[in-house]
Amino acid sequence: MGGLTKWGDLTPKEIEGFTLNGKINVEHFLLDGTNNKNKLNGFYDKKLVDSMIKKIKNKEVSYYGKTDKELYTLLERINIEGKSVGILGSTQPWYESIVLSYGGVPITIEYSSLQTNDERLTLLTVDEYSKNPQKFDVVFSISSFEHDGLGRYGDPINPTGDIEAMINVKSMLKKDGILFLAVPVGVDTIFWNAHRIYGKHRFPKLIDGWEIIDKVSFHEKKFKVNNKMDQPVIVLKIKR
């Protein structure tokens, strides 16, 4: 963990940005995600994808259990069949398999290089996507943006990394495209360097310029509850 940035290493300006001038609580939980053991050695095997699709069709869930259930509910209301779906961040092909299960066409964008023997998957690095960008009908960001800018995964320290990521998604969507977003919600807290929890102060900044068009359990009362694992799914469209 020698290369990780500790909270005490941050500049006063960075601390001010991360805490919104002291409005956001700080807890310490230093993690090194640069050698993520859940990456499956960077290879997404077709047999694994098929086994995941079988589980999904039976409405089984993965690590984010309640979040997956909400995603299923929303995908039964919003048709993605035949639509291009950009998946931002991936450690295993679970959300790719969800997209396939509902008839969508998944295109994964990840910082690390991934390989597959499954012709249904398109796996791009961030650099590859940047050199040949495309627009999507739908984008999935499930438990991803809350990490941006914290350095946990070797990314640059950036107090507004999450907000900048949300702004970037706007350029990735086709006209009338939609974003399926899940981030931890509760009392505003930053667990340095693990993740952020979004409450009444940070959440409005995260979705600035967006409108919520569908949801399952999300409501602003959640901003008053200390629940580290509550990641409700909301569907967003860019405000016009």
Side-chain angles (χ1 to χ4, degrees):
M1 289 194 180
L4 296 179
T5 301
K6 298 178 181 178
W7 184 257
D9 297 330
L10 298 177
T11 67
K13 186 175 181 179
E14 287 171 335
I15 290 173
E16 182 180 290
F18 280 117
T19 65
L20 296 180
N21 298 316
K23 294 176 182 177
I24 294 177
N25 300 325
V26 180
E27 301 286 346
H28 301 281
F29 199 73
L30 201 65
L31 295 174
D32 185 355
T34 57
N35 292 306
N36 194 331
K37 294 180 180 179
N38 294 323
K39 286 285 185 184
L40 303 175
N41 294 319
F43 188 78
Y44 288 2
D45 189 84
K46 184 178 185 297
K47 290 181 180 179
L48 175 62
V49 175
D50 286 337
S51 69
M52 288 181 170
I53 289 173
K54 184 176 180 180
K55 291 179 179 179
I56 291 159
K57 289 186 180 297
N58 289 329
K59 294 296 187 289
E60 295 181 40
V61 298
S62 187
Y63 181 75
Y64 301 109
K66 182 173 176 288
T67 300
D68 289 347
K69 288 181 179 179
E70 292 194 14
L71 185 56
Y72 297 156
T73 298
L74 290 164
L75 289 171
E76 286 161 8
R77 300 203 289 240
I78 298 173
N79 184 14
I80 66 167
E81 187 171 358
K83 294 183 178 180
S84 59
V85 183
I87 298 173
L88 305 185
S90 182
T91 58
Q92 57 177 331
W94 180 253
Y95 292 104
E96 290 86 347
S97 300
I98 289 179
V99 170
L100 290 170
S101 296
Y102 284 87
V105 181
I107 300 97
T108 302
I109 303 170
E110 236 292 323
Y111 280 102
S112 58
S113 179
L114 300 170
Q115 303 296 322
T116 186
N117 58 357
D118 192 333
E119 62 184 14
R120 297 169 295 181
L121 303 183
T122 300
L123 307 174
L124 303 174
T125 64
V126 172
D127 287 342
E128 287 170 340
Y129 176 79
S130 298
K131 291 176 182 176
N132 188 26
Q134 66 181 95
K135 291 185 181 289
F136 303 104
D137 298 301
V138 179
V139 166
F140 276 21
S141 177
I142 307 297
S143 191
S144 177
F145 290 160
E146 69 268 21
H147 306 292
D148 283 346
L150 306 187
R152 173 178 171 180
Y153 294 101
D155 49 313
I157 300 301
N158 183 357
T160 58
D162 54 338
I163 295 168
E164 291 174 20
M166 282 289 285
I167 293 171
N168 185 54
V169 172
K170 293 178 182 178
S171 68
M172 300 173 70
L173 285 171
K174 296 179 182 177
K175 184 180 178 181
D176 298 324
I178 57 175
L179 167 65
F180 285 77
L181 175 72
V183 294
V185 298
V187 176
D188 279 291
T189 307
I190 182 167
F191 285 84
W192 188 266
N193 65 349
H195 63 274
R196 301 175 181 86
I197 295 180
Y198 294 85
K200 64 180 181 180
H201 298 297
R202 189 83 178 184
F203 188 77
K205 293 182 178 297
L206 186 72
I207 67 165
D208 184 43
W210 298 84
E211 61 178 316
I212 299 174
I213 62 170
D214 208 346
K215 58 187 179 179
V216 177
S217 71
F218 174 81
H219 52 78
E220 292 187 2
K221 291 180 182 178
K222 289 179 178 285
F223 296 159
K224 299 179 181 180
V225 180
N226 280 306
N227 187 341
K228 300 175 184 178
M229 294 300 293
D230 191 5
Q231 299 196 56
V233 184
I234 56 176
V235 185
L236 300 163
K237 182 180 285 189
I238 301 169
K239 288 182 180 178
R240 301 294 182 184

